[in-house]
Amino acid sequence: MNDENEWGLRPLTPSEANRLRELAEAVGEDLGRFGLAMYNREAPDWETAAGGLEIEVDTFDDAAGGIWLHWTVHPALRLASREAHQSGRPNDSVIRAAGHVHERMASAILSMLKALGYVAEDSDDDYRPFAIKVLSGPG
């Protein structure tokens, strides 16, 4: 049995974590065939990368664990949204536009996954708004 970490979270076993990573890789390959560009927050140029689909693999054995898909917009829109938010303009059109794009892309990604036979759902995690959680692969 895996030990809990300092926050009380238990990591998945190595075989469970590998299964999750393999499923995440398959999701990326399948959605890439639909033309979605991949976004990697681990890449050296992540702050200036054009955006795209980010695949997060959370390897803890809790409700928030699993595969999460996030749409990342272009850095210009990210910066403009952040500046509007930090300047106290929550109703700024750029914030509304970014929210609209995230909402529509989440819906499109969920539709693509379902067409491919994946089981997935919209996020109910407050820390992952507009994300999609992949529950299982096709078949």
Side-chain angles (χ1 to χ4, degrees):
M1 176 175 244
N2 289 338
D3 295 319
E4 291 181 356
N5 68 12
E6 62 192 83
W7 299 287
L9 298 173
R10 185 181 74 80
L12 295 173
T13 65
S15 65
E16 292 169 325
N18 285 336
R19 183 196 59 78
L20 211 57
R21 286 186 193 96
E22 288 171 4
L23 180 57
E25 186 175 325
V27 167
E29 289 173 3
D30 284 341
L31 290 178
R33 286 187 201 102
F34 274 124
L36 293 181
M38 296 297 131
Y39 177 80
N40 182 357
R41 198 173 296 270
E42 302 296 319
D45 67 341
W46 72 272
E47 290 184 356
T48 57
L53 180 68
E54 180 180 4
I55 301 175
E56 173 193 2
V57 179
D58 183 328
T59 58
F60 286 104
D61 188 15
D62 63 354
I67 300 169
W68 294 91
L69 308 180
H70 310 268
W71 186 254
T72 303
V73 297
H74 189 276
L77 183 54
R78 289 195 308 265
L79 179 60
S81 296
R82 185 177 15 214
E83 287 175 355
H85 179 71
Q86 291 173 343
S87 297
R89 301 186 324 265
N91 295 320
D92 192 291
S93 62
V94 73
I95 292 175
R96 288 194 311 272
H100 185 74
V101 167
H102 283 287
E103 184 179 87
R104 294 292 185 242
M105 286 306 299
S107 177
I109 292 166
L110 186 57
S111 294
M112 290 178 212
L113 288 169
K114 289 184 177 183
L116 290 164
Y118 287 88
V119 177
E121 63 188 18
D122 287 314
S123 173
D124 63 356
D125 187 329
D126 290 341
Y127 294 104
R128 293 178 173 109
F130 306 115
I132 300 298
K133 186 171 188 178
V134 178
L135 304 174
S136 66

